[in-house]
Amino acid sequence: MRSILAFLTIIGLGAPAGMILCGWCLVTGDIMPCYMVACAIVRVGLWVAGVRVVVEGLETVPAHTACIFMANHVSNLDPPVLIPVLPGRTAVFLKRSLMKIPVLGYAMRLANFIPVDRAGSVQTAQENVRLARKVIEAGIHITTFRAGFDFGDGGNDGQGEQPDPAGDGAGGVSCAGVSGGGGEPGGADGGGAGGGGFGAA
């Protein structure tokens, strides 16, 4: 019941807010009010659902530096739990089909989210790298949720689960290509090369 209430809360608050703030963004070119309100609505939805978010290690994220966050993706709760606690603004690698959702898809395009084809070719991966570099150079974080991957403790003697090669998608390729191009790579829920790491659970 709580999950249904949370869903209805997010839709009920998000739809009118999105229509108003997307218009604001078109007029002003400033996506931050839309982004901040979206994060606030998600927090309300999580509260309604009874989800308590505990953040550890946020101090390891370097200030005023665009980072790449490579996060666990073992449930649909991962993005709404992680994104609102990240400092500043982040773009996200996500399935291209999600960009077709009315209002939400348009808002994600305005926020520089990067669509990924799960069965991506070399050409689409290269295009993802190009888009991701532009995002990093603009000082915006990038977050990718690696499907089927668990960086955390538990199982396999604390080593975490191994990635599903078919589920990693082009996002992982893009992050590998961008990490040397100006951003400090960071890890969420299990550390990242050169970036320490923090957890949101």
Side-chain angles (χ1 to χ4, degrees):
M1 178 60 72
R2 277 190 167 188
S3 60
I4 295 174
L5 290 175
F7 176 78
L8 293 176
T9 298
I10 291 173
I11 295 298
L13 295 176
M19 288 186 284
I20 294 171
L21 291 172
C22 282
W24 167 268
C25 179
L26 282 175
V27 172
T28 65
D30 183 9
I31 189 65
M32 277 306 292
C34 185
Y35 183 87
M36 293 173 65
V37 169
C39 287
I41 290 173
V42 168
R43 290 190 188 99
V44 172
L46 292 174
W47 176 78
V48 170
V51 176
R52 186 173 68 94
V53 179
V54 178
V55 181
E56 296 179 352
L58 195 59
E59 68 279 1
T60 65
V61 179
H64 312 298
T65 302
C67 301
I68 297 172
F69 298 97
M70 303 183 73
N72 295 340
H73 195 12
V74 293
S75 83
N76 290 329
L77 274 177
D78 298 326
V81 165
L82 177 61
I83 291 174
V85 304
L86 294 177
R89 176 181 146 206
T90 185
V92 179
F93 285 109
L94 76 168
K95 292 189 296 185
R96 187 176 298 275
S97 60
L98 295 177
M99 290 289 203
K100 299 178 182 178
I101 299 174
V103 181
L104 179 60
Y106 182 66
M108 290 190 294
R109 284 193 292 272
L110 291 177
N112 302 113
F113 282 25
I114 302 171
V116 171
D117 295 312
R118 294 294 294 272
S121 64
V122 172
Q123 288 77 16
T124 57
Q126 290 173 339
E127 176 64 11
N128 289 339
V129 170
R130 185 187 69 80
L131 293 174
R133 282 188 182 277
K134 288 180 64 176
V135 170
I136 288 289
E137 288 166 0
I140 302 168
H141 302 311
I142 291 178
T143 301
T144 179
F145 294 90
R146 305 186 64 173
F149 202 106
D150 181 5
F151 287 104
D153 296 335
N156 298 327
D157 296 324
Q159 298 302 310
E161 297 176 5
Q162 296 302 308
D164 174 6
D168 200 8
V173 175
S174 295
C175 281
V178 172
S179 61
E184 282 288 334
D189 262 331
F198 74 96

